Amino acid sequence: MQRAPSLVVSRHTIEHVPDPVGFLIAIREALGAASRATLFVETPCVDWIFERQAMQDFFYEHCSLFSAGSLALALRTAGFHAPKVSHVFGGQYLWAQASTVGDDATSTPPAATAGADLSGAHDRFTRHWREAVRAAAAEGPVALWGAGAKGVTFALLIDPENRVLDHVVDINPGKQGRFFPASALPVLSPEASAARAPRTIFVMNPNYLDEIAADLAARGLTPRLVPIN
């Protein structure tokens, strides 16, 4: 016996969709007119990126980026009601809840944001982190921690010819033993990285800093950890 869903969760999908409103409309239509389901959506927060001028967070796979206000508007436009949007994961992500039924008149939309002036941000970011990586390399091997899109973009911006960075560390076995596109930076397991004894590790996501420090300490390693904020 088939039953209509009461809950739909979409995590880190909508930012990869060129037509995000069309994506949400498709979900709403698939639920049907009689649905009383709740939709949850998690996606990166563009205001967090703007505020930090985090150039490593701009990459082609994320073709749709949202503020709290624009995500709420997209949900309403697609036919969902009373969206509530909060910030999670240290502000990096948005967590939205909306219903197929409800009264929009009783809900308060998130405040609009003014965006940010990114003029010169790319050059400032690149210049700062190139200098930081080169200075670290003068003291010993330098690694990145995190072989996701942040790490790939950072490597292409800072060391596109793979002349300064030694390797990337990632806990995902599916990425280990492979290489970054274009820069060909090798991706190693934490164990393989330890054998190369990096003196400095640049951490792509500062939310994992404590976890990484604990992992390294358990291995008896004390490299300098530099979060990319």
Side-chain angles (χ1 to χ4, degrees):
M1 176 180 173
Q2 291 185 341
R3 300 179 61 182
S6 59
L7 179 68
V8 178
V9 180
S10 172
R11 298 186 66 243
H12 297 273
T13 300
I14 195 170
E15 66 269 18
H16 296 272
V17 179
D19 181 8
V21 173
F23 170 71
L24 294 173
I25 289 174
I27 295 174
R28 181 63 191 90
E29 291 179 346
L31 289 170
S35 173
R36 302 185 68 84
T38 299
L39 171 68
F40 290 94
V41 177
E42 187 177 70
T43 188
C45 177
V46 74
D47 287 331
W48 187 91
I49 298 172
F50 284 160
E51 289 168 4
R52 289 155 181 77
Q53 298 191 353
M55 295 297 105
Q56 78 277 16
D57 274 304
F58 289 113
F59 35 83
Y60 76 92
E61 294 96 338
H62 285 185
C63 50
S64 300
L65 292 171
F66 296 88
S67 65
S70 64
L71 183 56
L73 177 60
L75 288 162
R76 283 197 176 93
T77 303
F80 290 94
H81 299 282
K84 300 176 183 178
V85 185
S86 57
H87 295 81
V88 296
F89 199 59
Q92 288 189 38
Y93 300 154
L94 300 172
W95 180 250
Q97 173 183 345
S99 177
T100 53
V101 295
D103 183 5
D104 286 329
T106 63
S107 66
T108 302
T113 54
D117 180 8
L118 295 182
S119 57
H122 177 278
D123 290 343
R124 289 193 299 273
F125 180 92
T126 304
R127 181 171 57 254
H128 170 79
W129 289 110
R130 280 182 177 173
E131 292 174 356
V133 169
R134 287 171 181 164
E139 302 174 357
V142 174
L144 306 183
W145 193 295
K150 292 176 186 282
V152 171
T153 304
F154 185 84
L156 287 174
L157 289 172
I158 305 307
D159 189 23
E161 297 179 353
N162 192 8
R163 294 181 175 178
V164 183
L165 296 170
D166 186 77
H167 63 276
V168 186
V169 192
D170 202 283
I171 63 173
N172 184 348
K175 296 180 179 181
Q176 296 163 6
R178 300 181 182 275
F179 300 86
F180 271 8
S183 68
L185 198 63
V187 181
L188 306 181
S189 66
E191 294 79 9
S193 171
R196 296 173 82 133
R199 178 66 184 86
T200 305
I201 298 177
F202 289 85
V203 179
M204 293 300 100
N205 194 321
N207 281 1
Y208 297 115
L209 194 63
D210 291 343
E211 178 183 325
I212 293 168
D215 180 281
L216 292 167
R219 301 175 191 277
L221 301 174
T222 57
R224 183 170 66 109
L225 299 180
V226 181
I228 307 299
N229 289 320

